[in-house]
Coordinates of all heavy atoms in Angstrom, one line a residue:
A1 N -20.8 22.1 36.0 CA -19.7 22.5 35.1 C -18.9 21.4 34.6 O -18.6 20.4 35.3 CB -18.8 23.5 35.9
G2 N -18.6 21.4 33.3 CA -17.9 20.3 32.7 C -18.7 19.1 32.3 O -18.2 18.2 31.6
G3 N -20.0 19.1 32.6 CA -20.8 18.0 32.3 C -21.1 17.9 30.8 O -21.0 18.9 30.0
S4 N -21.6 16.7 30.3 CA -21.9 16.5 28.9 C -23.0 15.5 28.8 O -23.1 14.6 29.7 CB -20.6 16.0 28.2 OG -20.9 15.5 27.0
I5 N -23.7 15.5 27.7 CA -24.7 14.5 27.5 C -24.1 13.3 26.7 O -24.7 12.3 26.5 CB -25.9 15.0 26.7 CG1 -25.5 15.5 25.3 CG2 -26.7 16.1 27.4 CD1 -26.7 15.7 24.4
G6 N -22.8 13.5 26.3 CA -22.1 12.4 25.6 C -22.5 12.4 24.2 O -23.6 12.6 23.8
L7 N -21.5 12.0 23.3 CA -21.7 11.9 21.9 C -22.6 10.7 21.6 O -22.4 9.6 22.1 CB -20.4 11.8 21.2 CG -20.5 11.7 19.7 CD1 -21.0 13.1 19.1 CD2 -19.1 11.4 19.1
H8 N -23.7 11.0 20.8 CA -24.6 9.9 20.5 C -25.3 10.3 19.2 O -25.3 11.4 18.7 CB -25.6 9.7 21.6 CG -26.5 10.8 21.8 ND1 -26.2 11.9 22.6 CD2 -27.8 11.1 21.4 CE1 -27.2 12.8 22.6 NE2 -28.2 12.3 21.9
T9 N -25.9 9.3 18.6 CA -26.7 9.5 17.4 C -28.1 9.8 17.8 O -28.7 9.1 18.6 CB -26.7 8.3 16.4 OG1 -25.3 8.0 16.1 CG2 -27.5 8.5 15.2
Q10 N -28.7 10.9 17.2 CA -30.0 11.3 17.5 C -31.0 10.5 16.6 O -31.3 10.9 15.5 CB -30.2 12.8 17.2 CG -31.5 13.4 17.7 CD -31.8 13.2 19.1 OE1 -30.9 13.3 20.0 NE2 -33.0 13.0 19.5
N11 N -31.5 9.3 17.2 CA -32.3 8.4 16.4 C -33.8 8.7 16.5 O -34.6 8.3 15.7 CB -32.0 7.0 16.7 CG -30.7 6.6 16.2 OD1 -30.3 6.9 15.1 ND2 -30.0 5.8 17.0
S12 N -34.2 9.3 17.7 CA -35.7 9.4 17.9 C -36.4 10.5 17.2 O -37.6 10.5 17.1 CB -35.9 9.5 19.5 OG -35.2 10.6 19.9
G13 N -35.7 11.5 16.7 CA -36.3 12.6 16.0 C -35.4 13.8 16.1 O -34.3 13.8 16.6
D14 N -35.9 14.9 15.5 CA -35.1 16.2 15.6 C -35.0 16.6 17.0 O -36.0 16.6 17.8 CB -35.7 17.3 14.8 CG -35.8 16.9 13.3 OD1 -35.0 16.1 12.8 OD2 -36.6 17.5 12.6
D15 N -33.8 17.0 17.5 CA -33.6 17.4 18.9 C -33.5 19.0 18.9 O -32.6 19.5 18.3 CB -32.3 16.8 19.3 CG -32.1 16.9 20.8 OD1 -33.0 16.7 21.6 OD2 -30.9 17.2 21.2
I16 N -34.4 19.6 19.6 CA -34.5 21.1 19.6 C -34.2 21.5 21.1 O -34.9 21.0 22.0 CB -35.9 21.6 19.2 CG1 -36.2 21.2 17.8 CG2 -35.9 23.1 19.3 CD1 -37.6 21.4 17.4
N17 N -33.1 22.3 21.3 CA -32.7 22.7 22.6 C -32.7 24.2 22.7 O -32.0 24.9 22.0 CB -31.3 22.2 22.9 CG -31.1 20.7 22.7 OD1 -31.5 19.9 23.6 ND2 -30.6 20.2 21.6
Y18 N -33.6 24.7 23.7 CA -33.6 26.1 24.0 C -32.8 26.3 25.2 O -33.1 25.8 26.3 CB -35.1 26.5 24.1 CG -35.2 28.0 24.6 CD1 -34.9 29.0 23.7 CD2 -35.5 28.3 25.9 CE1 -35.0 30.3 24.1 CE2 -35.6 29.6 26.3 CZ -35.3 30.6 25.4 OH -35.4 31.9 25.8
I19 N -31.8 27.2 25.2 CA -31.0 27.5 26.3 C -31.6 28.5 27.2 O -31.9 29.7 26.8 CB -29.6 27.9 25.9 CG1 -29.0 26.9 24.8 CG2 -28.6 28.1 27.1 CD1 -29.0 25.5 25.3
I20 N -31.9 28.2 28.4 CA -32.5 29.1 29.4 C -31.4 29.9 30.1 O -31.5 31.1 30.3 CB -33.4 28.3 30.4 CG1 -34.5 27.6 29.6 CG2 -33.9 29.2 31.5 CD1 -35.3 26.6 30.4
S21 N -30.3 29.2 30.6 CA -29.3 29.9 31.3 C -28.0 29.1 31.2 O -28.0 27.9 30.9 CB -29.6 30.2 32.7 OG -29.8 29.0 33.5
G22 N -26.9 29.7 31.5 CA -25.6 29.1 31.5 C -24.9 29.2 30.1 O -25.5 29.8 29.2
T23 N -23.8 28.6 30.0 CA -23.0 28.6 28.7 C -22.6 27.2 28.4 O -22.3 26.4 29.3 CB -21.8 29.5 28.7 OG1 -21.0 29.2 29.8 CG2 -22.2 31.0 28.9
G24 N -22.5 26.9 27.1 CA -22.0 25.6 26.7 C -21.7 25.6 25.2 O -21.6 26.6 24.5
K25 N -21.4 24.4 24.8 CA -21.1 24.1 23.4 C -21.8 22.9 22.9 O -21.9 21.9 23.6 CB -19.6 23.9 23.2 CG -19.1 23.6 21.8 CD -17.6 23.5 21.7 CE -17.1 22.3 22.3 NZ -15.6 22.1 21.9
A26 N -22.4 23.0 21.7 CA -23.1 21.9 21.0 C -22.2 21.5 19.9 O -21.6 22.4 19.2 CB -24.5 22.3 20.5
V27 N -22.0 20.2 19.7 CA -21.3 19.7 18.5 C -22.3 18.8 17.8 O -22.7 17.8 18.4 CB -20.0 18.9 18.9 CG1 -19.3 18.5 17.7 CG2 -19.1 19.8 19.8
C28 N -22.6 19.1 16.6 CA -23.5 18.3 15.8 C -22.9 18.0 14.4 O -22.6 19.0 13.7 CB -24.8 19.1 15.6 SG -26.1 18.2 14.7
D29 N -22.6 16.8 14.2 CA -21.9 16.3 13.0 C -20.6 17.1 12.8 O -20.4 17.7 11.7 CB -22.8 16.4 11.7 CG -23.9 15.4 11.7 OD1 -23.8 14.3 12.4 OD2 -25.0 15.6 11.1
D30 N -19.8 17.2 13.8 CA -18.5 17.9 13.8 C -18.6 19.4 13.7 O -17.5 20.0 13.4 CB -17.6 17.3 12.8 CG -17.3 15.8 13.1 OD1 -17.1 15.4 14.3 OD2 -17.2 15.0 12.1
K31 N -19.7 20.0 13.8 CA -19.8 21.5 13.7 C -20.1 22.0 15.1 O -21.1 21.6 15.8 CB -20.9 21.9 12.8 CG -20.6 21.5 11.3 CD -21.8 22.0 10.4 CE -21.5 21.5 9.0 NZ -22.6 21.8 8.1
D32 N -19.3 22.9 15.6 CA -19.5 23.5 16.9 C -20.4 24.7 16.9 O -20.4 25.5 15.9 CB -18.1 24.0 17.5 CG -17.2 22.9 17.8 OD1 -17.5 21.7 17.5 OD2 -16.1 23.2 18.3
E33 N -21.2 24.8 18.0 CA -22.1 26.0 18.1 C -22.0 26.4 19.6 O -22.2 25.6 20.5 CB -23.5 25.6 17.7 CG -24.5 26.8 17.9 CD -25.9 26.4 17.4 OE1 -26.1 25.3 16.9 OE2 -26.8 27.3 17.7
E34 N -21.7 27.7 19.8 CA -21.7 28.2 21.2 C -23.2 28.4 21.7 O -24.0 28.8 21.0 CB -21.0 29.6 21.3 CG -19.5 29.5 20.9 CD -18.8 28.5 21.9 OE1 -19.0 28.6 23.1 OE2 -18.0 27.7 21.4
L35 N -23.4 28.0 23.0 CA -24.7 28.1 23.6 C -24.7 29.1 24.7 O -23.8 29.1 25.5 CB -25.1 26.7 24.1 CG -25.1 25.5 23.1 CD1 -25.4 24.2 23.8 CD2 -26.1 25.8 22.0
K36 N -25.8 29.9 24.8 CA -26.0 30.8 25.9 C -27.5 31.1 25.9 O -28.2 30.7 25.0 CB -25.2 32.1 25.7 CG -25.6 32.9 24.4 CD -24.7 34.1 24.3 CE -25.1 34.9 23.0 NZ -24.3 36.1 22.9
A37 N -27.9 31.8 26.9 CA -29.4 32.0 27.1 C -30.0 32.6 25.8 O -29.4 33.6 25.2 CB -29.6 33.0 28.3
G38 N -31.1 32.1 25.4 CA -31.8 32.6 24.3 C -31.5 31.9 23.0 O -32.2 32.0 22.0
V39 N -30.5 31.1 22.9 CA -30.1 30.4 21.7 C -30.9 29.1 21.6 O -31.2 28.4 22.5 CB -28.6 30.0 21.8 CG1 -28.2 29.0 20.7 CG2 -27.7 31.3 21.7
I40 N -31.3 28.8 20.3 CA -31.9 27.5 20.0 C -31.0 26.7 19.2 O -30.5 27.2 18.1 CB -33.3 27.8 19.3 CG1 -34.3 28.5 20.2 CG2 -33.9 26.4 18.8 CD1 -35.5 28.9 19.5
H41 N -30.7 25.5 19.6 CA -29.8 24.6 18.9 C -30.7 23.4 18.4 O -31.4 22.8 19.1 CB -28.7 24.1 19.8 CG -28.0 22.9 19.2 ND1 -27.1 23.0 18.2 CD2 -28.0 21.6 19.6 CE1 -26.7 21.8 17.9 NE2 -27.2 20.9 18.7
I42 N -30.6 23.1 17.1 CA -31.3 22.0 16.5 C -30.3 21.0 15.9 O -29.5 21.4 15.1 CB -32.3 22.5 15.4 CG1 -33.3 23.5 16.0 CG2 -33.0 21.4 14.8 CD1 -34.1 24.2 15.0
C43 N -30.5 19.8 16.3 CA -29.7 18.7 15.7 C -30.7 17.7 15.1 O -31.6 17.1 15.8 CB -28.9 18.0 16.8 SG -27.6 17.0 16.1
P44 N -30.7 17.6 13.8 CA -31.6 16.7 13.1 C -31.5 15.2 13.4 O -30.4 14.8 13.7 CB -31.3 17.0 11.6 CG -30.5 18.2 11.5 CD -29.8 18.3 12.9
K45 N -32.6 14.6 13.2 CA -32.6 13.1 13.3 C -31.5 12.5 12.5 O -31.3 12.9 11.3 CB -34.0 12.6 12.9 CG -34.1 11.1 13.1 CD -35.5 10.6 12.7 CE -35.6 9.1 12.8 NZ -37.0 8.6 12.5
G46 N -30.8 11.5 13.0 CA -29.8 10.8 12.3 C -28.4 11.5 12.5 O -27.4 10.9 12.1
S47 N -28.3 12.7 13.1 CA -27.0 13.3 13.3 C -26.4 12.8 14.6 O -27.1 12.3 15.5 CB -27.2 14.8 13.4 OG -27.8 15.4 12.2
Q48 N -25.1 13.0 14.7 CA -24.4 12.7 15.9 C -24.1 14.0 16.6 O -23.7 15.0 16.0 CB -23.0 12.0 15.6 CG -23.2 10.6 15.3 CD -21.8 9.8 15.4 OE1 -20.8 10.4 15.4 NE2 -21.9 8.5 15.6
H49 N -24.4 14.0 17.9 CA -24.2 15.3 18.7 C -24.0 15.0 20.1 O -24.2 14.0 20.7 CB -25.4 16.2 18.4 CG -26.6 15.9 19.3 ND1 -27.3 16.8 20.0 CD2 -27.3 14.7 19.4 CE1 -28.3 16.3 20.7 NE2 -28.4 15.0 20.3
T50 N -23.4 16.1 20.7 CA -23.2 16.2 22.1 C -23.4 17.6 22.6 O -23.4 18.6 21.7 CB -21.8 15.7 22.6 OG1 -21.7 15.7 24.0 CG2 -20.7 16.6 22.0
I51 N -23.7 17.9 23.8 CA -23.8 19.2 24.4 C -22.9 19.2 25.7 O -23.0 18.3 26.5 CB -25.3 19.6 24.8 CG1 -26.1 19.7 23.5 CG2 -25.3 20.9 25.6 CD1 -27.5 20.0 23.7
I52 N -22.1 20.2 25.8 CA -21.1 20.3 26.8 C -21.3 21.6 27.6 O -21.4 22.6 27.0 CB -19.7 20.2 26.3 CG1 -19.5 19.0 25.4 CG2 -18.6 20.3 27.4 CD1 -18.3 19.0 24.4
N53 N -21.3 21.5 28.9 CA -21.4 22.7 29.8 C -20.0 23.2 29.9 O -19.1 22.6 30.4 CB -21.9 22.3 31.2 CG -22.0 23.5 32.1 OD1 -21.5 24.6 31.8 ND2 -22.7 23.4 33.2
T54 N -19.7 24.4 29.3 CA -18.4 25.0 29.3 C -18.3 26.1 30.4 O -17.2 26.7 30.5 CB -18.1 25.6 27.9 OG1 -19.0 26.6 27.6 CG2 -18.0 24.6 26.9
G55 N -19.4 26.4 31.1 CA -19.4 27.5 32.1 C -19.1 27.0 33.5 O -18.9 25.8 33.7
K56 N -19.2 27.9 34.4 CA -19.0 27.6 35.9 C -20.3 27.3 36.5 O -20.4 26.7 37.6 CB -18.3 28.7 36.6 CG -16.9 29.0 36.1 CD -16.3 30.1 36.8 CE -14.9 30.4 36.3 NZ -14.2 31.5 37.0
D57 N -21.4 27.6 35.9 CA -22.8 27.4 36.4 C -23.5 26.3 35.7 O -23.0 25.9 34.6 CB -23.6 28.7 36.3 CG -23.0 29.9 37.1 OD1 -22.5 29.6 38.3 OD2 -22.9 31.0 36.6
D58 N -24.7 25.9 36.2 CA -25.5 24.9 35.5 C -25.8 25.4 34.1 O -26.1 26.6 33.9 CB -26.8 24.7 36.2 CG -26.6 23.9 37.5 OD1 -25.5 23.2 37.6 OD2 -27.5 23.9 38.4
L59 N -25.9 24.5 33.1 CA -26.4 24.8 31.8 C -27.9 24.3 31.8 O -28.1 23.1 31.9 CB -25.6 24.1 30.7 CG -26.1 24.2 29.3 CD1 -26.1 25.7 28.8 CD2 -25.2 23.4 28.4
V60 N -28.8 25.2 31.8 CA -30.2 24.9 31.9 C -30.9 25.1 30.5 O -30.7 26.1 29.9 CB -30.9 25.8 32.9 CG1 -32.4 25.4 33.0 CG2 -30.2 25.7 34.3
M61 N -31.5 24.0 30.0 CA -32.2 24.1 28.7 C -33.5 23.3 28.7 O -33.7 22.4 29.6 CB -31.2 23.5 27.7 CG -30.8 22.1 27.8 SD -29.5 21.7 26.6 CE -29.0 20.1 27.2
L62 N -34.3 23.6 27.8 CA -35.5 22.9 27.5 C -35.3 22.1 26.2 O -34.9 22.7 25.2 CB -36.7 23.8 27.4 CG -38.0 23.2 26.9 CD1 -38.6 22.3 27.9 CD2 -39.0 24.3 26.6
T63 N -35.5 20.8 26.3 CA -35.3 20.0 25.1 C -36.6 19.4 24.6 O -37.3 18.8 25.4 CB -34.3 18.9 25.4 OG1 -33.0 19.4 25.7 CG2 -34.1 18.0 24.1
I64 N -36.9 19.5 23.3 CA -38.0 19.0 22.7 C -37.5 18.1 21.6 O -36.7 18.5 20.7 CB -39.0 20.0 22.1 CG1 -39.5 20.9 23.3 CG2 -40.1 19.4 21.4 CD1 -40.2 22.2 22.8
V65 N -38.0 16.8 21.5 CA -37.7 15.9 20.5 C -38.9 15.7 19.6 O -40.0 15.3 20.1 CB -37.2 14.5 21.0 CG1 -36.9 13.6 19.9 CG2 -35.9 14.7 21.9
V66 N -38.8 16.1 18.3 CA -39.9 16.0 17.4 C -39.8 14.7 16.7 O -38.9 14.5 15.8 CB -39.9 17.2 16.4 CG1 -41.0 17.1 15.4 CG2 -39.9 18.5 17.1
A67 N -40.6 13.7 17.0 CA -40.6 12.4 16.4 C -41.1 12.5 15.0 O -42.1 13.2 14.7 CB -41.4 11.4 17.2
R68 N -40.4 11.8 14.1 CA -40.8 11.8 12.7 C -40.3 10.6 12.0 O -39.5 9.9 12.4 CB -40.4 13.1 11.9 CG -38.9 13.3 11.9 CD -38.6 14.6 11.1 NE -37.2 14.8 11.1 CZ -36.4 14.5 10.1 NH1 -36.9 14.0 9.0 NH2 -35.1 14.7 10.1

């Protein structure tokens, strides 16, 4: 709870995050998106983003980075 991946620039490719369980918030280029099970969050290559666990439980997600 309260953990974060930290704000960074997504240089390696498009970042695709599928939320398996828990709740959180994604911030991509200053736009907030609420995260919960079943949500897919995409942050394009070159964008600045972070993901924050806003819940009491673990935020579990599958992340795929599409290199391009």
Side-chain angles (χ1 to χ4, degrees):
S4 165
I5 64 169
L7 183 65
H8 65 280
T9 301
Q10 186 61 36
N11 290 320
S12 56
D14 296 339
D15 193 43
I16 303 169
N17 302 284
Y18 174 73
I19 308 306
I20 297 169
S21 63
T23 56
K25 176 174 76 170
V27 182
C28 184
D29 288 338
D30 296 322
K31 295 180 185 175
D32 292 3
E33 181 179 352
E34 294 301 316
L35 303 176
K36 62 182 181 180
V39 168
I40 296 175
H41 165 71
I42 300 172
C43 198
K45 181 178 180 178
S47 299
Q48 284 198 337
H49 78 129
T50 185
I51 294 177
I52 304 160
N53 182 348
T54 60
K56 295 180 181 178
D57 298 317
D58 288 342
L59 177 60
V60 180
M61 62 186 167
L62 170 66
T63 300
I64 299 169
V65 178
V66 180
R68 55 180 181 105

